[in-house]
Amino acid sequence: MVTAIVMVQAERQRIQETAEALAGVPGVREVYSVTGEWDIVAVLKLDRYDDLDDVVTGHLRKVDGIVRTQTMLAFRTYSEALLDQGFGVGLDESRLS
């Protein structure tokens, strides 16, 4: 399994539509809107390394609203439980319900 993280800069007025379109691309497992230099982060899970070209250059180029992308390949996956703890840092979970 190949995991890739794609950071996306989108046209400001089309961030939500672009994120929704990315979520429908085959191989895209998760899509997040984020703060900072990038507007959207997409997590790809692919069966083969060769599928990366099909998804990134084939499908993502057709998504309206994308201005720029940067793709990173993951070397190693760590425990999901540990990753979930990292995303909760600084949050008062009692306020979330």
Side-chain angles (χ1 to χ4, degrees):
M1 175 80 45
V2 176
T3 300
I5 297 97
V6 180
M7 281 108 59
V8 177
Q9 283 183 340
E11 295 174 15
R12 290 283 176 223
Q13 64 276 14
R14 302 193 70 185
I15 292 173
Q16 182 175 348
E17 297 148 45
T18 303
E20 290 171 357
L22 285 169
V25 171
V28 174
R29 291 277 182 92
E30 300 171 65
V31 177
Y32 301 93
S33 63
V34 295
T35 62
E37 179 181 351
W38 302 96
D39 302 306
I40 301 166
V41 173
V43 178
L44 284 59
K45 299 280 188 176
L46 307 167
D47 291 328
R48 301 174 307 128
Y49 178 77
D50 291 344
D51 295 336
L52 188 61
D53 180 47
D54 295 336
V55 174
V56 174
T57 60
H59 286 85
L60 296 188
R61 283 187 179 177
K62 297 175 184 174
V63 175
D64 289 331
I66 292 179
V67 174
R68 180 177 152 222
T69 65
Q70 181 175 343
T71 303
M72 299 181 294
L73 293 176
F75 290 131
R76 181 175 296 169
T77 301
Y78 296 90
S79 165
E80 272 191 45
L82 293 175
L83 292 174
D84 288 342
Q85 288 175 8
F87 285 110
V89 172
L91 294 178
D92 181 358
E93 293 190 23
S94 66
R95 293 180 160 205
L96 296 177
S97 45

